[in-house]
Amino acid sequence: MPPNVSRDGLSPTKEVRFPIRFDLSDYAAWMEGFDVFDETESDQVPKGKKRSAAVSTVEGFLAELIAHASGDSQVTAADVHELFDRVPALIVMDGLDEVGKQGTRKLVIREINLFCARGSTYAVEPRVVVTTRPNSSGLPEPDEAMFEIVSLSPLDHALRDQYLRKWCNVHNVRGNDSRTLRRNFNQKVREPYIGELVGNPMQLTILLYLLRQSGDATPSQRTELYDAYMAMLLSREANKHPDSVRRH
């Protein structure tokens, strides 16, 4: 076994950090006054008063997120500051492209930049990752002086195979199950329209889930395959916005 690969096939962690991930669409809605932590069936949670700039910081949002997740109603922005000062952290801010309103996007970007600037005062500066689809609307983006821009390119054959093996390891698909899934995958990608999809990490992931669920019964015809893709995407969205999926 190569020295830089662990028994589960994943690279070892060289630098341990406390990880936090959140959706920027939730952060934007929280700034507008919505209770994004309400876990009722309805996605029409009543809107409260819009939060002022003084309390709509990233740390303020993370305080409520941590309080909600831990069941401790006493977490404050000051506690979050102390946490980041004591513990190296990795903060993933996901889905900037889902913040589409110009005014709200501008406020979110301002707070991201301010959060990163404050991070330089900690003993170990937090690593911040912001994910987004390409911006074709001229919406504000994070400060390029603070962020390194990394763009995803289509997966080549070698990276695709590496991704497939790591996906199997992460999802505990091993032995005969792993070989069967990889065999089915190699058969499916011979179809030209499927071969075009698997260069995209998200589309590849959906295909692997379908193969794991249905095996040889995974649709090979274009229409049936796309129907299965849409069903999986709607299932994902139904967990986040059940009322919207039911209505529309």
Side-chain angles (χ1 to χ4, degrees), residues 17-81:
R17 287 178 176 265
F18 176 67
I20 298 179
R21 176 205 165 276
F22 63 90
D23 291 319
L24 284 169
S25 58
D26 286 344
Y27 178 45
W30 176 83
M31 293 175 75
E32 292 290 323
F34 287 95
D35 182 2
V36 298
F37 304 112
D38 191 299
E39 294 183 341
T40 61
E41 277 289 301
S42 175
D43 57 357
Q44 298 297 311
V45 181
K47 181 179 177 180
K49 185 179 179 181
K50 184 176 179 179
R51 288 176 169 82
S52 67
V55 299
S56 60
T57 62
V58 172
E59 291 91 341
F61 176 76
L62 290 178
E64 290 200 24
L65 174 63
I66 294 171
H68 170 74
S70 66
D72 183 353
S73 61
Q74 303 302 314
V75 181
T76 66
D79 295 327
V80 176
H81 280 294

Side-chain angles (χ1 to χ4, degrees), residues 155 157-171 173 178-179 181-186 189 204 207-209 211:
L155 298 174
H157 184 78
L159 275 177
R160 192 182 66 197
D161 288 348
Q162 184 181 4
Y163 183 96
L164 174 56
R165 292 180 182 279
K166 289 188 175 183
W167 188 92
C168 288
N169 285 328
V170 168
H171 294 277
V173 181
S178 175
R179 286 188 288 274
L181 186 144
R182 284 186 276 119
R183 183 184 68 247
N184 289 334
F185 174 80
N186 288 327
V189 296
L204 174 57
L207 179 62
L208 292 177
Y209 272 110
L211 286 169

Side-chain angles (χ1 to χ4, degrees), residues 48-114:
K49 185 179 179 181
K50 184 176 179 179
R51 288 176 169 82
S52 67
V55 299
S56 60
T57 62
V58 172
E59 291 91 341
F61 176 76
L62 290 178
E64 290 200 24
L65 174 63
I66 294 171
H68 170 74
S70 66
D72 183 353
S73 61
Q74 303 302 314
V75 181
T76 66
D79 295 327
V80 176
H81 280 294
E82 184 177 359
L83 171 67
F84 290 155
D85 197 33
R86 289 174 175 267
V87 181
L90 170 67
I91 299 97
V92 178
M93 305 180 184
D94 198 12
L96 179 60
D97 54 287
E98 295 186 16
V99 184
K101 292 172 59 178
Q102 179 78 22
T104 305
R105 174 81 163 237
K106 186 176 180 180
L107 293 175
V108 168
I109 291 298
R110 181 194 68 188
E111 294 302 332
I112 291 174
N113 290 337
L114 289 173

Side-chain angles (χ1 to χ4, degrees), residues 155-224:
L155 298 174
D156 60 24
H157 184 78
L159 275 177
R160 192 182 66 197
D161 288 348
Q162 184 181 4
Y163 183 96
L164 174 56
R165 292 180 182 279
K166 289 188 175 183
W167 188 92
C168 288
N169 285 328
V170 168
H171 294 277
N172 200 30
V173 181
R174 304 183 186 281
N176 288 334
D177 291 338
S178 175
R179 286 188 288 274
T180 299
L181 186 144
R182 284 186 276 119
R183 183 184 68 247
N184 289 334
F185 174 80
N186 288 327
Q187 291 174 349
K188 294 295 182 184
V189 296
R190 293 171 186 164
E191 301 289 342
Y193 51 89
I194 296 181
E196 293 169 4
L197 291 175
V198 296
N200 179 293
M202 185 185 77
Q203 306 289 0
L204 174 57
T205 301
I206 294 175
L207 179 62
L208 292 177
Y209 272 110
L210 290 174
L211 286 169
R212 187 182 185 190
Q213 288 180 347
S214 304
D216 291 334
T218 301
S220 294
Q221 299 301 311
R222 187 194 302 261
T223 301
E224 288 81 0

